[in-house]
Structure formats: structure tokens, C-alpha cells
Amino acid sequence: MTNSETKATLSFSDGSPSIEMPIYKGSIGPDVIDIRKLYGATGKFTYDPGFMSTAACNSSITYIDGDKGELLYRGYPIEQLAQNGGDFLESCYLLLNGELPNAEQKEKFVETVTKHTMVHEQMQFFFRGFRRDAHPMSVLVGTVGALASFYHDSLDINDAHHREVSAIRLIAKMPTLVAMAYKYSIGQPFVYPRNDLSYSANFMYMMFSNPCEPYKVNEVLVRALDRILVLHADHEQNASTSTVRLAGSSGANPFACIAAGIACLWGPAHGGANEAALSMLEEIGSVDNIAHFIEQVKDKNSGVKLMGFGHRVYKNYDPRAKLMRETCYEVLNELGLQDDPLFKLAMALEKIALEDEYFVSRKLYPNVDFYSGIVQRALGIPTALFTGIFALARTVGWVAQWKEMISDPEQKIGRPRQLFVGSPKRDVPAMDKR
Ligand code: CMC
């Protein structure tokens, strides 16, 4: 954060004295006005539900230019990382450490992550406590939080080595937990990780192999999964990341913080949108029903939204959606599903929505979730697990942001203020007077 000479002056029409506040410049993006002294100087808070205009931290991890439709991890465009960059673990290294790894660093990082893929054997009893039809996100909130009970040797958040070990554990164990949640839901035995496989290939193996038959990894499908992971790895201060930061600001351990992030991600306005987008396509059913559906979306009383469209930050095409559409083609071709009716329906719906005045005037474009459900379904991932895959990918972003927060000397416990609109102080009346 660079302190500039520029200052903002806030004046009041009620005769209160005006105050000056410093303005800071980031490396790119909007400047921020530092309002920290506002309450002390004026006795007034600011009001900003949904953080529409409020930066709650400084960060050097991920940058989004919503108007241009640009997403950068540590300065590198997502398109380059997804198309010419290496695999997901390379993006993980980049997000955690700030630079892409050289060959030696990459080898060491992959080896370290790979050595942590197994979970404590007793974790299986947590899974067995859930109903078979439990939502995987509920299982993940529980089991990721439970990791804190097993890894006491990495819980000291003030110890940089502990933080590092927890970060690696979370990234390495998430695929194992997500695959266990799936296997449990279908009544198949848990599959132990295979450390001779890549991160994404190992996940496919734990998901889709069984002890009775050999399993052949399909490289095209592994690449598609890897791309899903790269595209979802981080997205600056979104709701779940802010949740992780807020939970961590109290000094909570990283496993608890990531469990909080998973809980937030579950909501349909956030990570749950990929599941909701696919269900929406299934409900629309055919191209002939699109016009009626769009009419419902435009009717504010219907409560119907075009899922997979719109974004708080992107007021242009989400760059991840373009890459996801490309992957969609690749996967459907590989599996001989070029005529997949849901993909055709999605493309027709996108075209109609992009030409419709309602969406154009509100700058509503497809987001990453519009196509990711179709890809995941083609990979064999059940709809209920889509958000779990998102959580698996986002774990590295959460962890990187959590680590950044812990090492920030300006970090304070997160404690928003409120505009109180309830009853002023009053006396409790006796029962017969109520
Ligand atoms: N369908 C219909 N109308 C919409 C939609 C949509 N998907 N999204 C926004 N609008 C309308 C909204 O009703 C409002 O209209 P008006 O100005 O007439 O009141 C206007 O567009 C502005 O929307 P907003 O609700 O103020 O925007 P927001 O920034 O608060 O919400 C959002 C962003 C993502 C929650 C919202 O666009 C949405 O609910 N989209 C569908 C769910 C979805 O796809 N979520 C995934 C987000 S991407 C994955 C991630 O990063 O988590």
C-alpha cells in the first residue's frame, strides 16, 4: 500500500467540522480512502451493506478488473495460466508464494503436497456418522473442521512453519476428503490416494476407481478437471474468502477457517450457483421453453434468476466462463457427446440472454458457473458434488489469503459496526402488562 499525498475532505451539512482522510494508491485498480479515523473524529460510522464500496484489507494475490473482464493471479492473466501455464499445483505455488516455481521448486512442492494426501485413518468414522444422502457440502464443513482435531502439531498460527504445514495439509487432503464424501454417498469403499499420479489424476482415481477393476486415467478428462481447479483457485475478496479472513481474524485455526469458507461457499448466490445452473437447464428442458423462462426471470415477482449469469464484480464476460466453454467443447468431443442437449440449450440460452435488453442494460454476462456444471456432469461428477469441487479448488486461494492476513501487521479482528434501528433502552414489563 503506497501512501499518497492526496487527501479526501469530508464535510458535513450539519455544522460538524470537516475532516481530511488519506488516499492510498494500489499498484492497479481504484484508490482507497482511509476512513479508520472517521469514528474517532466524527462519532459517525459509514454504512455499506454488502461491502459495495469498502476494501477490508490490502492484498497482493489476485486482481480483477470487472469492466474489462480481466482476472490476474499474482499479475498473470488467467487465460495464460489456464492455456500455457502448468498444472493446478503450479497455480497453487504461485498463489501461495507470489512467483511461479522453477523446475526444482515445482518438483519439491509437488513432492511435499503429494506426501500429505492421506488423511488420518480415524477420519473415516466422521464420514460414517453422516447419512448416506447428506449433502457433500455439509459433510465437508464437518470433516474439514474435524481436521483440526488430528493435526495439533500445525495449529500455532503465530508459527510460520505451522502455517506452512497446515496450508500444505489442506491443499493435499481436500481431494481425498471430497472423494471420500462421494464414495460414502454411493456406498462404495473409500479409495486411498495414489501418489504416483498427478494431483488431478489422483482425484479422478479416488473418485471413480474401485478395488475390483483396473482404472485407466483419461488424460483429456484430467486436463479438464485441472482447468476447473485453476479457474476456481482464487477470486480475491469474495464472500467465502472474506469469511475465511473474518474467521481467521480472531486467531481461529486454519482448518476451522476453511470450514467456515466452505459453509459460505455453499450458498446458491456463490459456489452453489453451478449446481443451480445445471438444475435450471434441466428444468428449462428444451430450446422451445427459453422464451417463457426469460420472461419469468424478467418478472421481479417470480423470484426466478438466470443462474450462472451476473456477477458483483464482472460487468463484462467473466474470463473464466470463456475458458470453461472451451473445456466444455473438448470434454464433450472426447466423450462423443457433441450433441449433448444441455450444452446446446446452454449456448442457445446464452445467445438469447446476451441480446436481451434486460441483461444488456444490467451488464449481466455468463459467469464461470454457467458452463462448469455441464463439464463436471460429463466428467461423471454428480450435481450435488459440484460445489465440493469448487471448495477443493478454492482451498488454495483461501489458504493464501489467510496466510497473507496473518502476516499483515495492519491485521485486526474483523468487527463491523451497525446502524441500530431497534428499540431504544426500555424496562422489562411485568408478565400481566405485556
Ligand atoms: N438473473 C436475473 N437478474 C439478475 C441476475 C440474474 N442472474 N443477476 C442480477 N440480476 C439483476 C438484479 O435483479 C438487479 O436488477 P434491478 O437493478 O432491476 O434490481 C440487477 O441485475 C443488479 O443485480 P444485483 O443483485 O444488485 O447484483 P449483485 O452484485 O448484488 O449480485 C450475483 C451478484 C452474482 C449474486 C447475482 O448476479 C446473482 O444472483 N446471479 C445468479 C447466481 C450466480 O450465478 N452466482 C455465481 C456468481 S460467480 C461464482 C462466484 O464467484 O462465486
Side-chain angles (χ1 to χ4, degrees):
M1 189 161 71
T2 346
N3 197 345
S4 87
E5 290 306 305
T6 332
K7 295 218 178 330
T9 305
L10 182 63
S11 49
F12 302 88
S13 55
D14 64 0
S16 310
S18 59
I19 70 158
E20 276 200 337
M21 292 166 297
I23 297 183
Y24 304 129
K25 279 203 172 305
S27 42
I28 34 176
D31 299 347
V32 300
I33 304 170
D34 181 350
I35 57 165
R36 280 176 292 184
K37 301 225 164 81
L38 183 74
Y39 177 57
T42 67
K44 290 177 172 59
F45 299 142
T46 54
Y47 182 64
D48 187 15
F51 296 93
M52 300 294 286
S53 298
T54 299
C57 62
N58 64 71
S59 179
S60 48
I61 302 175
T62 295
Y63 177 77
I64 303 172
D65 186 323
D67 293 325
K68 282 199 215 153
E70 188 173 75
L71 168 62
L72 312 175
Y73 291 168
R74 302 281 190 184
Y76 296 113
I78 191 68
E79 291 83 355
Q80 288 184 30
L81 291 168
Q83 285 164 333
N84 335 317
D87 55 14
F88 173 63
L89 282 185
E90 236 172 87
S91 287
C92 289
Y93 184 98
L94 172 69
L95 288 165
L96 289 169
N97 300 299
E99 294 299 334
L100 283 164
N102 61 28
E104 197 186 319
Q105 289 164 328
K106 167 96 187 271
E107 198 187 325
K108 189 155 177 273
F109 183 69
V110 171
E111 194 193 329
T112 314
V113 171
T114 306
K115 282 198 172 132
H116 283 87
T117 48
M118 266 202 312
V119 294
H120 194 289
E121 194 63 5
Q122 266 171 254
M123 282 299 294
Q124 60 169 294
F125 298 115
F126 281 84
F127 283 92
R128 295 193 198 286
F130 284 96
R131 281 171 57 135
R132 297 263 175 193
D133 62 356
H135 194 285
M137 290 301 274
S138 142
V139 176
L140 287 173
V141 170
T143 53
V144 172
L147 290 179
S149 342
F150 291 99
Y151 302 106
H152 292 155
D153 58 343
S154 63
L155 292 187
D156 181 357
I157 63 156
N158 300 312
D159 180 320
H161 178 65
H162 279 217
R163 296 202 293 271
E164 195 55 42
V165 174
S166 291
I168 297 290
R169 279 182 168 147
L170 277 156
I171 293 162
K173 292 182 200 308
M174 270 303 275
T176 315
L177 294 177
V178 173
M180 285 174 87
Y182 173 58
K183 285 299 197 193
Y184 183 73
S185 74
I186 55 168
Q188 284 192 6
F190 298 132
V191 175
Y192 286 108
R194 250 182 65 190
N195 288 353
D196 60 322
L197 296 175
S198 72
Y199 188 88
S200 294
N202 174 49
F203 177 65
M204 298 282 272
Y205 165 76
M206 290 189 292
M207 287 281 293
F208 301 119
S209 71
N210 67 61
C212 312
E213 295 167 6
Y215 175 77
K216 195 166 170 339
V217 174
N218 177 325
E219 283 309 326
V220 175
L221 304 190
V222 167
R223 225 181 18 250
L225 175 74
D226 207 74
R227 179 174 279 189
I228 292 176
L229 301 185
V230 170
L231 297 186
H232 288 84
D234 195 41
H235 215 223
E236 53 117 312
Q237 310 311 319
N238 55 84
S240 57
T241 302
S242 303
T243 301
V244 169
R245 280 185 178 260
L246 196 56
S249 76
S250 72
N253 73 70
F255 301 103
C257 296
I258 302 308
I262 294 172
C264 177
L265 186 73
W266 192 357
H270 192 4
N274 49 21
E275 186 177 334
L278 196 76
S279 309
M280 173 194 76
L281 290 173
E282 278 163 353
E283 245 167 66
I284 298 173
S286 119
V287 175
D288 299 339
N289 300 332
I290 292 179
H292 174 63
F293 177 74
I294 296 273
E295 280 319 305
Q296 282 182 297
V297 169
K298 293 198 282 193
D299 173 5
K300 292 280 176 204
N301 300 319
S302 72
V304 178
K305 275 197 166 175
L306 178 47
M307 299 311 285
F309 254 67
H311 201 274
R312 170 62 58 83
V313 183
Y314 293 118
K315 300 302 168 198
N316 201 328
Y317 211 101
D318 177 344
R320 303 169 301 170
K322 280 190 195 140
L323 294 158
M324 196 50 82
R325 194 170 54 180
E326 203 177 279
T327 299
C328 214
Y329 273 117
E330 260 174 50
V331 168
L332 296 177
N333 278 338
E334 171 68 15
L335 298 173
L337 299 171
Q338 297 89 331
D339 294 326
D340 180 72
L342 281 198
F343 185 48
K344 292 206 152 146
L345 180 61
M347 286 198 303
L349 182 58
E350 177 191 336
K351 188 166 181 301
I352 292 170
L354 287 176
E355 286 163 3
D356 191 295
E357 195 277 332
Y358 175 94
F359 298 94
V360 174
S361 63
R362 290 172 177 76
K363 299 189 177 168
L364 300 171
Y365 293 87
N367 60 51
V368 65
D369 290 325
F370 195 68
Y371 287 106
S372 74
I374 299 173
V375 179
Q376 294 195 53
R377 192 183 59 134
L379 294 181
I381 295 165
T383 316
L385 201 65
F386 289 178
T387 317
I389 305 290
F390 191 163
L392 151 55
R394 184 56 59 85
T395 295
V396 64
W398 290 329
V399 165
Q401 301 265 353
W402 171 81
K403 283 179 77 197
E404 181 179 64
M405 178 193 70
I406 301 287
S407 356
D408 181 353
E410 299 206 334
Q411 187 265 327
K412 277 185 168 327
I413 186 166
R415 202 332 184 159
R417 303 297 197 157
Q418 65 174 8
L419 174 66
F420 184 68
V421 293
S423 169
K425 187 174 172 188
R426 52 185 172 156
D427 294 323
V428 176
M431 186 59 87
D432 62 345
K433 298 273 182 328
R434 293 180 204 169

